[in-house]
């Protein structure tokens, strides 16, 4: 997650996407990974893909009490 966050900060969205997708192969439906993937897709202008990831993210985080931000990754 830290590497993906660093890529997001540097606006290297494609690399961030790859990191978060790889993480999701090991931890399916992980809210933090889905959040990072969502940000990376939005950064690439892929709003439609980000929409579907965001839906999954909300399902994964529906019991979470803490809001997510880039700092919380």
């Amino acid at each position: 997650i830290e590497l993906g966050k660093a890529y997001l900060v540097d606006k290297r969205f494609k690399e961030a996407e790859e990191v978060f997708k790889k993480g999701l192969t090991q931890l399916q439906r992980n809210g933090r990974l889905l959040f990072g993937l969502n940000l990376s897709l939005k950064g690439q202008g892929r709003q439609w893909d980000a929409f579907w990831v965001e839906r999954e993210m909300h399902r994964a985080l529906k019991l979470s009490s803490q809001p997510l931000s880039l700092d919380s990754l």
Side-chain angles (χ1 to χ4, degrees):
I1 291 180
E2 289 296 320
L3 179 59
K5 178 181 175 181
Y7 283 144
L8 287 173
V9 170
D10 289 343
K11 298 186 184 333
R12 294 172 59 184
F13 300 116
K14 184 63 180 163
E15 291 95 335
E17 175 189 1
E18 292 169 9
V19 169
F20 291 117
K21 279 186 174 181
K22 184 175 180 180
L24 284 164
T25 64
Q26 298 169 12
L27 299 169
Q28 296 88 4
R29 296 195 62 192
N30 177 285
R32 294 174 67 206
L33 290 169
L34 288 166
F35 178 71
L37 178 59
N38 184 44
L39 291 177
S40 68
L41 292 169
K42 286 181 178 180
Q44 295 175 69
R46 295 172 54 193
Q47 301 303 324
W48 184 245
D49 293 328
F51 168 79
W52 291 106
V53 170
E54 191 167 339
R55 284 185 59 167
E56 265 312 296
M57 179 185 72
H58 286 296
R59 281 190 211 132
L61 294 172
K62 70 180 178 182
L63 299 178
S64 176
S65 61
Q66 286 206 300
L68 286 176
S69 68
L70 185 57
D71 291 331
S72 68
L73 281 180

